[in-house]
Amino acid sequence: DETLPQIIYLVDACQSVGQISVNAIDMKCHALAATGRKYLRGPRGTGFLYIQHRIANILEPSHVDHAAAPVVKVMEQQSASSSLRGLEEESEFGLSHTYLPGAARFEFWEANVATRLGLGAAIDVSLALGMDTIERKCALLGGLLRQQLVMMEGVHVYHATSCACGIVTFYLDRNMDATTIKEMMQNGLQEEGFDDRSDHASLYCFHLSVVPATITPLDSSRTGLGERSLLRASVSYFNTEDEIKMFCKALKTVCKRA
């Protein structure tokens, strides 16, 4: 009989899939989960799960419906006064169900077909461009942004020496809230010479997000920043060096204001 390994090796690849080449087989992981809305640039609410077939066939999902766990035998006739207590009482009531084989047992009957098609289209775009090409471009642009931020007074790049990718996390040594910095970067710089349409559009060229310390509690415990939030800029293969320069120009203006 198949048994579960003592430790299941599950990889959270949400920030990796669509940005770097990922091979679950080479990683020897039991399962890998990823979202579609990040570097794959697919619709929000989409994603996928890879799981080794032999592992999936042993696991019992926490939530199932009639698609993932179809009933294969109807219940015996019950009296009006009897109480039904669920699948765990199948031997008493004659109810029998089975899980679908493989990862399909984790799927639900109700799903948004349009967003699934959108995810498929996004994957097709990435494959057509080639993951090697995308990975090189993300690393190049991420490295350029990282280099420019390191040279800026008052800006500190977090994980400055880690593996180059398109994600660059940083904070200002000024006592300014990360959310306020983001809002100033994207909404409040028109009076500082960023009123040109192309300049202002460049501030939206890649995603800038606030990273609360509570999202990564273990890592945050080592930053020495306490409960302070970080800022994360995510560049992708379609970005340009000019957009990165414009972003850094805007950040310098924010630093002067602080």
Side-chain angles (χ1 to χ4, degrees):
D1 293 338
E2 289 184 312
T3 57
L4 286 171
Q6 289 185 326
I7 298 177
I8 294 181
Y9 177 20
L10 170 63
V11 175
D12 178 356
C14 287
Q15 301 287 2
S16 302
V17 170
Q19 176 182 190
I20 64 176
S21 297
V22 175
N23 190 314
I25 296 176
D26 289 346
M27 295 168 64
K28 296 182 172 25
C29 61
H30 297 119
L32 181 146
T35 183
R37 69 175 176 84
K38 294 189 176 180
Y39 273 90
L40 279 176
R41 301 170 62 226
R44 179 177 287 274
T46 60
F48 65 86
L49 169 70
Y50 159 85
I51 184 167
Q52 291 183 11
H53 199 76
R54 69 177 187 89
I55 300 296
N57 286 339
I58 304 171
L59 296 176
E60 292 191 10
S62 60
H63 295 75
V64 295
D65 61 12
H66 68 285
V71 174
V72 295
K73 182 180 178 181
V74 298
M75 299 173 66
E76 297 176 356
Q77 184 67 36
Q78 303 296 311
S79 64
S81 61
S82 63
S83 60
L84 306 182
R85 287 172 285 179
L87 293 178
E88 70 275 7
E89 302 295 333
E90 64 183 46
S91 60
E92 179 179 351
F93 296 115
L95 178 64
S96 178
H97 75 288
T98 183
Y99 294 113
L100 293 180
R105 64 182 56 198
F106 294 98
E107 295 183 352
F108 290 102
W109 175 261
E110 292 296 338
N112 190 321
V113 177
T115 55
R116 283 188 174 185
L117 292 172
L119 175 61
I123 292 173
D124 287 342
V125 170
S126 294
L127 293 177
L129 289 169
M131 283 311 308
D132 289 341
T133 299
I134 291 175
E135 183 173 350
R136 282 195 305 271
K137 188 70 180 296
C138 288
L140 175 66
L141 293 174
L144 177 62
L145 176 59
R146 194 175 292 106
Q147 290 170 7
Q148 294 200 22
L149 292 181
V150 166
M151 293 186 297
M152 291 175 58
E153 182 180 357
V155 178
H156 300 273
V157 176
Y158 190 60
H159 292 315
T161 59
S162 64
C163 179
C165 67
I167 298 174
V168 183
T169 306
F170 63 95
Y171 62 95
L172 305 187
D173 59 8
R174 311 298 201 280
N175 224 355
M176 184 182 290
D177 178 68
T179 301
T180 302
I181 297 171
K182 176 183 176 181
E183 291 175 352
M184 291 179 65
M185 288 285 292
Q186 296 186 332
N187 301 320
L189 292 172
Q190 289 88 344
E191 66 271 27
E192 297 288 345
F194 290 88
D195 52 354
D196 180 83
R197 179 174 298 180
S198 60
D199 285 352
H200 200 245
S202 295
L203 300 181
Y204 292 89
C205 59
F206 45 84
H207 190 63
L208 179 65
S209 58
V210 175
V211 186
T214 51
I215 288 183
T216 55
L218 295 178
D219 193 52
S220 298
S221 67
R222 305 184 183 99
T223 65
L225 299 174
E227 297 295 320
R228 187 174 178 180
S229 299
L230 302 174
L231 285 161
R232 181 173 64 203
S234 303
V235 299
S236 193
Y237 59 86
F238 54 81
N239 290 124
T240 66
E241 294 185 16
D242 286 341
E243 290 172 341
I244 290 176
K245 291 177 182 177
M246 183 60 62
F247 178 86
C248 292
K249 179 182 176 182
L251 187 59
K252 286 181 181 179
T253 301
V254 171
C255 289
K256 291 178 182 178
R257 285 187 176 187

